[in-house]
Amino acid sequence: MTKSISFDLTVERLKALGEPTRLRLALLLSRQDLTVSDLVFVLGQSQPRISRHLKLLMETGILLRYQEGAWAYFRVSDEPGVADLLAAACEPLSADDAVLARDVERLEAVRLRRAEHAARYFAENAESWDRIRSLHVPDAQVEAALVEALGPDDFESILDVGTGTGRMLELLAGRARRAVGIDASREMLAVARAKLDAAELSRVSVRQGNAYHLPVEPRAYDLVTLHQVLHYLDDPQAAVREAARALAPGGRLAVVDFALHGHEFLREDHAHVRLGFSADAIEGFLRAVDLEVETIRLLEPTAEGGDQLTVLVAIGRDCGAASEPAALKISA
């Protein structure tokens, strides 16, 4: 249900968007998150001028600013009415407008720069990632199992904790009004932005943050995902607790991780703190934060040999009441 906003605030926002540079800024940021440097490049205006316009747009609640290391990013706010206001402003604009066409062309150059940076990072790390992926069932099978476990319904909002390359956002964002990814690594966020830019997912944003202290509003997301995150953490239960804090009433928490295994090289060479988790351990994490366990599925490798990893997919729901234990489902 759409929340109403006051007449005065609507007038202030219309005034803010009634200046050419500010409207161009808002339209650009409705496409993707950008820095001041990005916006200076696209619009060809000075940094102080761009900053003044951004400040006014933030004061009226049209934009938000968030910090990522030494860089500040700007994005369109999730406040009531903002998306509808920008959509109404965009509707009558000509696709052939020379100014807007030039903005889009320069924005594409920003996207290309991000993509090149991401490609370099992938090239440097591809060998180690490929080795890990070769140890378990194909990613497509894991993703299909997750989608099946979540069911066909769409989501109002999705939060992906430890988003990495943004794959979960790419997979699920088409089913949500908005989606947010959080990761501690600026390098991974750069990769995620490049991938999401290429997919033209305008309702998706990523930002830097810690799995133990998520920079998001509580009780605001009806799906939160922890995809291959918990095995990197000293205190996975604390991360599950923080993820559960972000769940809206009735929301679901999806956990994808490795089952227990003995591959010490993952700890030594790839910073894995935990060598997987038992189904009972994951179920315990979910029940400890009062989530009803809907399903736990084990995706066992099809290749023969004892060096393959089993992937675990678990779904917990915020029901506000205790429930009977869910049956353990095992998938080959």
Side-chain angles (χ1 to χ4, degrees), residues 216-263:
V216 300
E217 61 274 30
R219 308 290 280 172
Y221 297 87
D222 51 349
L223 175 64
V224 178
T225 56
L226 285 161
H227 179 268
Q228 298 292 10
V229 171
L230 296 184
H231 60 252
Y232 287 108
L233 304 179
D234 289 315
D235 191 351
Q237 178 67 82
V240 171
R241 184 180 305 112
E242 180 70 356
R245 186 183 68 85
L247 283 176
R252 287 184 291 174
L253 174 60
V255 176
V256 179
D257 219 296
F258 296 129
L260 285 174
H261 62 86
H263 289 294

Side-chain angles (χ1 to χ4, degrees), residues 129 158-170 180-189 191-192 196 205-216 224-233 239-240 242-243 253-257:
W129 289 346
I158 294 174
L159 176 65
D160 184 32
V161 180
T163 198
T165 65
R167 177 54 191 160
M168 287 298 100
L169 297 174
E170 200 174 9
V180 176
I182 305 295
D183 203 280
S185 166
R186 286 193 61 203
E187 288 79 9
M188 295 307 292
L189 289 174
V191 172
L196 297 172
S205 64
V206 295
R207 65 191 79 156
Q208 192 170 37
N210 188 308
Y212 298 131
H213 302 285
L214 295 173
V216 300
V224 178
T225 56
L226 285 161
H227 179 268
Q228 298 292 10
V229 171
L230 296 184
H231 60 252
Y232 287 108
L233 304 179
V240 171
E242 180 70 356
L253 174 60
V255 176
V256 179
D257 219 296

Side-chain angles (χ1 to χ4, degrees), residues 116-134 164-165 185-191 232 265-266 269-272:
E116 289 172 345
H117 175 82
R120 286 195 299 271
Y121 185 75
F122 265 120
E124 292 167 1
N125 295 277
E127 184 177 352
S128 62
W129 289 346
D130 287 344
R131 185 182 180 191
I132 295 173
R133 281 204 299 270
S134 70
T165 65
S185 166
R186 286 193 61 203
E187 288 79 9
M188 295 307 292
L189 289 174
V191 172
Y232 287 108
F265 85 90
L266 293 176
D269 300 338
H270 300 280
H272 289 206

Side-chain angles (χ1 to χ4, degrees), residues 77-153:
S77 171
D78 297 319
E79 286 190 21
V82 172
D84 292 338
L85 192 62
L86 286 176
C90 288
E91 187 174 358
L93 294 175
S94 169
D96 299 326
D97 182 89
V99 172
L100 297 182
R102 185 171 179 274
D103 286 351
V104 171
E105 181 181 336
R106 285 179 167 261
L107 180 61
E108 194 58 36
V110 172
R111 288 177 171 174
L112 180 60
R113 188 169 62 220
R114 289 181 177 180
E116 289 172 345
H117 175 82
R120 286 195 299 271
Y121 185 75
F122 265 120
E124 292 167 1
N125 295 277
E127 184 177 352
S128 62
W129 289 346
D130 287 344
R131 185 182 180 191
I132 295 173
R133 281 204 299 270
S134 70
L135 292 173
H136 61 76
V137 296
D139 291 337
Q141 186 177 335
V142 176
E143 292 170 4
L146 175 61
V147 169
E148 181 184 354
L150 291 173
D153 295 340

